[in-house]
Amino acid sequence: MRRLRRRLVPYGLLGPGAIWLLLFFAVPMYFMGEMALRSGSLDTGGFTFSWEWANFSDALSGSDEQIVRSFVYAGLATVIALAIAYPLAYAIALRAGRWKLLLLFAVVAPFFTTYLIRTIAWKTILADASPAVDVLQFLQLVPQDGRVLATGGAVVAGLTYNFLPFMILPIYASLERMDVRLIEAAKDLYASSTKAFLKVTLPISAPGIVAGILLTFIPAVGDYVNALLLGGTGQSMVGNVIQSLYLQQRDYPEAAALSFVMMLAILAVVVVYLRVAGTGAFIGDEEEPA
Amino acid sequence: MSNTSDNPRAVRLRSALAMLVALVAALAIGACGDDDTVGGGNGGGEAEVAKAGPVRGELTISNWPAYMDTGKENTVAEFEDATGVEVDYVEDVNDNAEFFGKLRPQLERGQSGGRSIFVVTDWMAKQMYDLGYLQELDHDDLTTVFDNILPSLESPSFDPERKFSVPWQSGMTGIMVNEELAPDIRSVNDLFDPKYKGKVTMLSEMRDTVPLVMKADGVDPADADKQDWLDAIEKLREAAESGQIRRFTGNDYNQDMTNENVVAAIGWSGDTSIIENPDVSWRMPAEGCILWSDNMVIPNGAPNTAAALAWMNFVYRPRVQADIAEYVQYVTPVGGVDDVLRQRDPELADNQLIFPDEQFTADCSTQPDPPGSEEDQQEVTEAFQDMITGQG
């Protein structure tokens, strides 16, 4: 009896999560996969299931440029977000003292406003004749007759801005828990500041970095709002293609097929990434260069 | 490799395979069901007629943004005071196709999401009706509407007997120009002038942008064939790829015009009232404009159709309509409004954008659908949408 119970308890604990995954992941995946294999059109009697594998090739043909662009933009946004988030999280966690709560609040506060409003606000900030763009032109970062809005740069900036807190908070959480005496110990053992950072701080914050990168990259790849509002005619991402297929062309099977392919592609990237980052690079093996 | 059953990698592979088999099996079971067609509506059945009756209760109206006078004493409040109906006025229509896409699953089940009235453009109203999503209107319940409607709007080609639609406002699609920065733009062809590279936007509404481009090239949208549409789309594609056209927009081109990010755009006649830039005005293209109406329709499953009908009659009173016309500055569909406005503001009564005379719109075309069969229309729509997202 007791043995049986011991064997069942883990499954019981898994229960709520498993049910959640089943209802909100497996079931929708099933319907999406099933829709991706239908054919027909909304105006002539609707979509019927017919093992229409051609939807996948149709959806992929012609949108390769948008798929690549999505990964490039999301990758750039993730790298920039990491570059901004790490020093900031470090400063808040280890140097802010009594200002810690206030600074954390400052990170989160803009996100009390909705995503759309914040993105639209950037349209005003980055308008062609705005002071922000004047400064960039003065610094020669933007050509005199150039612009920021309706360029790839604006889309990447928008993605970076919108997902930044998802990078900052996990890194902050991992640094906050760190025992600072470990750094002192490293220095006692004649480690330079750089070396102490590389050997102690960075490995300890690695889980935060990994989580932050995933939380930023995954939603950024599928995002379409930033490209729609801040991009121009040459900046469409795969999210824009799916939106157009679903809402404008009303080709639900192709939209589902493309969504399915994107999910698999992201899954593949994430699995490879976790294989590499989850075990190797950040643990701080001895053969790290000094 | 000899004892595969104990190899953890093989076990994992096997369970993955099992999952795959389960997924395929599930798909196959799904394929066997017979009533599994998604979409298609119920166009075969008889359409319901919207019921009249005592006017009370609640009324939800879905309309486009900035399409109603504002303030405490606005038309909605006035209607509430006059009838005791509680109105939930929602501005959630931003784009015909998008609104339709959002509501279609409900409409298909005969539900309207609590809404009693939608305001959608002619072609969208016709598509909804053909799919069996709309109720028909009895003209005896809409006496104020049909006493006052402009004769030119009484029998449009998409709904010759006004069986399911009542115009909310009409309008013209033409060129929105910043007079200071682009004084010489007179035709849609001038928008393709390299001088204005990256300073021009066009509408993502296919039935506005493509016919205007055709007109500028001397093709009458009324007789255009599929190839004419595809040629115009190809011209747009080249301009989009070269960076001549900055973006394809919905209503949000207003912000770009206000901020002077763009100097000219394909735009709607009433929008000068919401663009906060004194230099911007709407121009009739030399080759003429596109004429359209947005219509009030009553969807199937709409609650309180009696109040919806009362609302339609209410906004067709010339004095009430004058308030709306004065604010939104689109072409009003109600006769006698010019007389009301002349007493308030003679300039408005002579405004060609609100009360265009026949001479002003002589070269304009009614907003067309792409020609041909469903497949032809689908092909044109696909070409246009692929052009917007930049797909090859």
Side-chain angles (χ1 to χ4, degrees), chain B residues 138-149 309 312-314 316:
Chain B
D138 184 343
H139 287 209
D140 291 341
D141 301 326
L142 293 168
T143 44
T144 318
V145 171
F146 290 101
D147 284 348
N148 291 322
I149 190 170
L309 295 166
M312 290 178 176
N313 279 322
F314 186 75
Y316 266 71

Side-chain angles (χ1 to χ4, degrees), chain A residues 38 47 66 128 249-250 252, chain B residues 36 38 104 127 261 389:
Chain A
R38 285 171 182 253
F47 303 106
Q66 285 74 17
D128 291 8
Q249 304 182 34
R250 288 184 235 148
Y252 301 166
Chain B
D36 66 337
V38 169
R104 197 202 52 80
Q127 277 195 5
N261 292 335
T389 51

Side-chain angles (χ1 to χ4, degrees), chain A residues 48, chain B residues 30-37:
Chain A
T48 349
Chain B
C32 292
D34 45 10
D35 66 333
D36 66 337
T37 302

